[in-house]
Amino acid sequence: MSFGPILERLEHYPYEELWKELGPQDVRRALSRDRLEERDLLALLSPAAEPFLEVMAQKAQRLTRTHFGYAMQLFTPMYVSDFCINKCTYCSFSADFEFPRKRLSMDQLRKEAETIAATGLKHVLMLTGESRQATPMDYLVDCVHVLREFFPSVSIEIFPLRTEEYRQLVEAGADGLTLYQEVYHRETYSQIHVKGPKRVYRNRLEAPERACQAGFRNVNIGALLGMYEWRREAFHACMHARYLQDKYRDCEISLSAPRFRPYLGEYDPQSLVSDRNLVQILLAYRLFMPRAGITLSTRENGELRDHLVHLGITKMSAGVSTEVGGHTGEGTPQFEISDDRSVEDIRLMLYKAGFQPVFKDWDCLAEPAGQAIRL
Ligand code: SF4
């Protein structure tokens, strides 16, 4: 069984009625439990939970300290190619837009990696658009080999692959995968993915599970908030994460709550997600999944990120560029970031807030032959 049939069942819930029906007693019951069930998660995401954010925050903080202490992992994304054959209505890399596309050569990749590694980071997230012509499997494998010369931990955020292809990247030394469903609501999914292989909803929905089966150590999923009604989207993303966590116990399952950001085009998000809404989502995620990693990106501004670190976050990006080759030169950003602070700035902010910034918590045994990791 995959998550597909479970999602089909969840899709039939009368959400509008549920958001009205769930009351303070449901929120209190959810807050009193150790292992939360479906209805508890719905209660925590419902309007009835809004007056309880402070109590939710206290419990979320306790759970985070129990499972993660004060550790905060740091990483940065690294874009290696912006070639893309999909037309997604919310992204600058969409095939709709004309700009000089770039794909890093292995020499350019090394220079980018060297620049990032000089900041002290040990964990990098490699990203591409979707183009099997521009970024075929052998290119992706080569990229992972090169990145492993510089970083003990390499994650990927690329188009969905088959299980055996994921396995090739794990064997090359990749240990983490990030893949957002973007939007769980099928009709909206089909409206915003206008053309290209990304239109196949099920292929994307099942990709995180294929990554678990292929042996990734860490799989991070989420919904791009703003594309559809946020309470329902957050509920489906979190249920997806719980399904993976229950089934693949040797894989660390993480959640992100990325909010839509400005880009080259003019897409208007359907569902505005306020800062308060975002806080409610993050707290509900932590209470429902006490052991899950929760990632906070630079889509959020510095001031908000400084506050959110106390609410269950376990991983943060720092020193971010969303351009191909953006750490050594310039390109077209995939979207605008809101927090452009350096790795050092984030490190100091975390120390001041009482956290331990963690640059390295993992080293992969599958060292590429003949290549030493620079520590
Ligand atoms: S979201 Fe991904 S698949 Fe869609 S256009 Fe952007 S890079 Fe391509």
Side-chain angles (χ1 to χ4, degrees):
M1 170 138 117
S2 70
F3 182 62
I6 298 171
L7 181 60
E8 276 167 34
R9 175 176 64 78
L10 302 177
E11 284 171 327
H12 286 106
Y13 285 6
Y15 286 97
E16 287 313 311
E17 284 168 38
L18 274 172
W19 301 140
K20 285 183 201 144
E21 178 193 312
L22 289 159
Q25 69 288 355
D26 297 293
V27 181
R28 282 193 202 97
R29 193 180 52 228
L31 281 164
S32 69
R33 289 185 146 171
D34 287 336
R35 181 173 165 94
L36 278 59
E37 301 303 336
E38 243 176 68
R39 191 173 168 90
D40 301 316
L41 177 59
L42 284 164
L44 295 176
L45 289 167
S46 73
E50 286 169 14
F52 290 84
L53 290 190
E54 188 55 44
V55 192
M56 286 168 69
Q58 284 166 14
K59 185 167 180 191
Q61 204 169 27
R62 269 202 312 278
L63 287 171
T64 311
R65 297 298 155 258
T66 303
H67 294 282
F68 298 91
Y70 285 87
M72 185 72 70
Q73 287 181 36
L74 295 178
F75 73 97
T76 207
M78 180 193 204
Y79 285 73
V80 300
S81 168
D82 52 22
F83 284 90
C84 192
I85 58 172
N86 287 306
K87 292 190 177 180
C88 306
T89 56
Y90 51 89
C91 173
S92 300
F93 293 172
S94 171
D96 277 324
F97 297 113
E98 284 190 21
F99 63 89
R101 305 267 170 171
K102 284 209 286 194
R103 183 191 93 156
L104 296 183
S105 67
M106 291 305 135
D107 280 348
Q108 290 169 324
L109 185 67
R110 265 196 187 84
K111 281 193 191 111
E112 280 278 299
E114 212 161 34
T115 306
I116 294 171
T119 66
L121 287 174
K122 304 279 184 205
H123 179 190
V124 76
L125 172 66
M126 174 183 110
L127 295 99
T128 66
E130 176 158 6
S131 168
R132 281 186 178 263
Q133 201 180 355
T135 51
M137 276 309 296
D138 55 354
Y139 173 80
L140 297 172
V141 167
D142 288 348
C143 286
V144 173
H145 279 148
V146 168
L147 292 178
R148 285 279 289 111
E149 292 174 32
F150 297 87
F151 304 103
S153 177
V154 175
S155 295
I156 56 165
E157 185 173 345
I158 62 172
F159 49 95
L161 300 178
R162 295 189 290 275
T163 311
E164 60 274 19
E165 292 173 324
Y166 279 137
R167 209 165 277 133
Q168 279 182 59
L169 295 178
V170 170
E171 280 163 11
D175 64 288
L177 172 121
T178 288
L179 196 142
Y180 304 141
Q181 184 59 24
E182 315 293 16
V183 62
Y184 282 82
H185 184 249
R186 290 174 206 258
E187 208 179 305
T188 307
Y189 186 93
S190 131
Q191 285 162 3
I192 64 178
H193 299 112
V194 180
K195 202 175 164 204
K198 194 167 178 178
R199 279 183 64 74
V200 185
Y201 181 95
R202 194 172 152 193
N203 184 41
R204 194 165 187 88
L205 187 72
E206 291 177 355
E209 177 149 16
R210 295 197 293 275
C212 292
Q213 289 164 352
F216 277 97
R217 186 181 67 92
N218 180 312
V219 168
N220 178 34
I221 64 168
L224 182 51
L225 299 170
M227 300 315 200
Y228 190 66
E229 200 262 301
W230 65 265
R231 297 182 202 275
R232 186 180 145 144
E233 285 295 302
F235 177 62
H236 288 170
C238 203
M239 289 300 292
H240 192 180
R242 167 73 75 88
Y243 162 82
L244 293 170
Q245 191 180 65
D246 285 349
K247 190 163 174 186
Y248 299 97
R249 291 175 178 258
D250 51 353
C251 182
E252 184 198 345
I253 303 299
S254 304
L255 274 158
S256 295
R259 283 195 289 186
F260 175 79
R261 291 287 306 146
Y263 72 118
L264 274 183
E266 287 172 357
Y267 178 77
D268 273 333
Q270 276 195 36
S271 160
L272 287 177
V273 183
S274 68
D275 291 354
R276 219 175 143 74
N277 299 151
L278 179 66
V279 166
Q280 187 176 350
I281 293 167
L282 292 171
L283 295 175
Y285 282 178
R286 170 55 67 228
L287 298 185
F288 190 67
M289 297 195 59
R291 290 182 298 108
I294 298 183
T295 306
L296 180 62
S297 79
T298 52
R299 286 173 181 269
E300 305 306 334
N301 68 52
E303 199 185 339
L304 183 61
R305 292 217 313 161
D306 292 0
H307 284 102
L308 293 178
V309 292
H310 297 280
L311 301 182
I313 304 301
T314 58
K315 291 179 199 174
M316 291 181 83
S317 50
V320 169
S321 161
T322 64
E323 304 161 23
V324 175
H327 294 275
T328 50
E330 280 186 8
T332 302
Q334 188 187 26
F335 56 84
E336 289 175 19
I337 60 169
S338 302
D339 182 358
D340 60 4
R341 284 177 293 177
S342 67
V343 175
E344 183 58 12
D345 291 340
I346 298 291
R347 190 179 72 85
L348 291 174
M349 178 278 285
L350 288 171
Y351 272 133
K352 276 190 200 143
F355 286 88
Q356 179 68 41
V358 175
F359 288 80
K360 180 182 173 185
D361 75 333
W362 164 255
D363 214 333
C364 179
L365 287 175
E367 260 181 57
Q371 290 173 349
I373 299 167
R374 293 171 195 187
L375 296 173

